[in-house]
Amino acid sequence: MAKTIREIKRQIVSVKSTRQITKAMEMVAASRLKKAQLSAEAARPYADKIREVLNHVTGASQDIKHPMLDSRPVKRTGYLIITSDRGLAGGFNSNLLRSFMQTIRERHKSPEEYAILVVGRKGQEYFRRRNIATMEEITGLPNAPEFSDIKALATKAVNNYADASYDELYLVYNVFKNALLQIPTVKRLLPLEKHDDSGPRLDYEYEPSARVVLEVLLPRYAETLIYSAVLESKASEYGAKMTAMGSATKNATKMIETYTLQYNRARQAAITQEISEIVGGANAQA
């Protein structure tokens, strides 16, 4: 009985230590989530302004064409999948990758029909375990990524489309709704869609020409959308981690309560047995 009590006590101590860790991780994720949300919101005005200029250029000059705006027959599709480097985030990575594989099975008949670019170690390991080739990989992004951290990959993704390595490019990432809800999303990036903005329009003068400005802005706009998706994914990751660690903390508290009850019952049983033995010994001597 004494051994059982010691085992239960060790379990209580162990779970309490785990609860301290999960609680700390929950607080860290909550702090990073707030910063990630602010970063995602701060990136939107820049992308909106570029889109406004692009809409003006393409709207004012209908004869201006660019490969990134023109649809072409799709022989191969590119997918840029954004995952995390670390786990402990509930179904953040698994739900996204499961959704992506379902998309692959529905849209393609062979690996030659698609190319994969991946952000995050979890995605990298997932495809390596399944012997699925990837065109580009990037891991080790900081907690608050800057545009320079993903620019090389974003540029390659856009250039691969321009070089006809694939005929369309999709972003695969988690859209952040709130800390409890992250939605796996497959969104087409290239060719870019034209937006018809209603309302007052500003008049721009372009130097050296509207065509040259378009050639510069279109790749930058696509790269900015990739960066925005990375920031969105980071916010989703921290929301998922905060929720997962919060649930783990609650479960640890329940386990401690259960073990404490078992511990008290075991102590009471041991005390009762000792009293019975004392009483029995006293009666035997009487």
Side-chain angles (χ1 to χ4, degrees), residues 58-79:
T58 56
S61 304
Q62 297 295 334
D63 60 328
I64 293 181
K65 295 185 179 297
H66 193 278
M68 293 179 66
L69 295 173
D70 297 334
S71 298
R72 59 191 185 224
V74 178
K75 298 179 181 178
R76 197 180 191 207
T77 302
Y79 295 95

Side-chain angles (χ1 to χ4, degrees), residues 127-262:
F127 294 118
R128 284 184 178 178
R129 286 196 301 269
R130 288 160 178 77
N131 295 319
I132 299 176
T134 56
M135 180 179 287
E136 300 290 344
E137 297 177 353
I138 181 173
T139 60
L141 287 180
N143 295 323
E146 300 289 341
F147 180 73
S148 58
D149 296 317
I150 60 94
K151 188 180 187 311
L153 178 67
T155 301
K156 287 181 181 178
V158 174
N159 289 341
N160 287 338
Y161 174 82
D163 297 338
S165 296
Y166 37 73
D167 303 297
E168 58 181 355
L169 176 63
Y170 284 83
L171 290 174
V172 183
Y173 65 105
N174 281 291
V175 173
F176 177 80
K177 293 298 181 182
N178 54 56
L180 296 174
L181 182 60
Q182 301 84 35
I183 302 176
T185 302
V186 180
K187 179 180 179 181
R188 195 182 78 169
L189 174 64
L190 295 173
L192 292 169
E193 296 181 359
K194 295 182 180 180
H195 298 270
D196 295 326
D197 292 337
S198 58
R201 297 171 62 90
L202 297 176
D203 190 18
Y204 296 96
E205 292 184 2
Y206 302 100
E207 291 291 343
S209 67
R211 183 182 298 277
V212 173
V213 171
L214 189 68
E215 291 177 353
V216 173
L217 284 185
L218 279 173
R220 179 59 61 87
Y221 180 52
E223 293 168 2
T224 300
L225 292 180
I226 294 174
Y227 178 55
S228 295
V230 170
L231 295 179
E232 187 90 13
S233 180
K234 276 292 182 182
S236 298
E237 176 187 346
Y238 296 137
K241 283 186 176 181
M242 187 178 72
T243 301
M245 292 301 99
S247 297
T249 301
K250 292 178 181 178
N251 291 337
T253 300
K254 291 180 180 179
M255 290 179 65
I256 292 170
E257 293 174 354
T258 300
Y259 287 143
T260 300
L261 182 61
Q262 293 176 0

Side-chain angles (χ1 to χ4, degrees), residues 39-164:
S39 296
E41 293 172 358
R44 289 169 189 162
Y46 180 70
D48 292 342
K49 192 62 178 180
I50 295 181
R51 186 177 68 242
E52 177 187 325
V53 175
L54 289 174
N55 290 339
H56 185 274
V57 175
T58 56
S61 304
Q62 297 295 334
D63 60 328
I64 293 181
K65 295 185 179 297
H66 193 278
M68 293 179 66
L69 295 173
D70 297 334
S71 298
R72 59 191 185 224
V74 178
K75 298 179 181 178
R76 197 180 191 207
T77 302
Y79 295 95
L80 176 55
I81 300 102
I82 304 174
T83 63
S84 66
D85 284 325
R86 298 188 177 120
L88 299 177
F92 172 78
N93 292 301
S94 58
N95 291 341
L96 179 71
L97 294 169
R98 190 183 305 115
S99 175
F100 170 69
M101 294 305 296
Q102 180 65 27
T103 299
I104 289 296
R105 286 190 290 268
E106 292 174 354
R107 293 184 179 180
H108 306 289
K109 296 180 180 179
S110 69
E112 287 74 21
E113 295 182 356
Y114 60 87
I116 295 175
L117 303 88
V118 62
V119 175
R121 188 168 287 107
K122 287 298 179 179
Q124 179 192 63
E125 293 173 351
Y126 180 89
F127 294 118
R128 284 184 178 178
R129 286 196 301 269
R130 288 160 178 77
N131 295 319
I132 299 176
T134 56
M135 180 179 287
E136 300 290 344
E137 297 177 353
I138 181 173
T139 60
L141 287 180
N143 295 323
E146 300 289 341
F147 180 73
S148 58
D149 296 317
I150 60 94
K151 188 180 187 311
L153 178 67
T155 301
K156 287 181 181 178
V158 174
N159 289 341
N160 287 338
Y161 174 82
D163 297 338

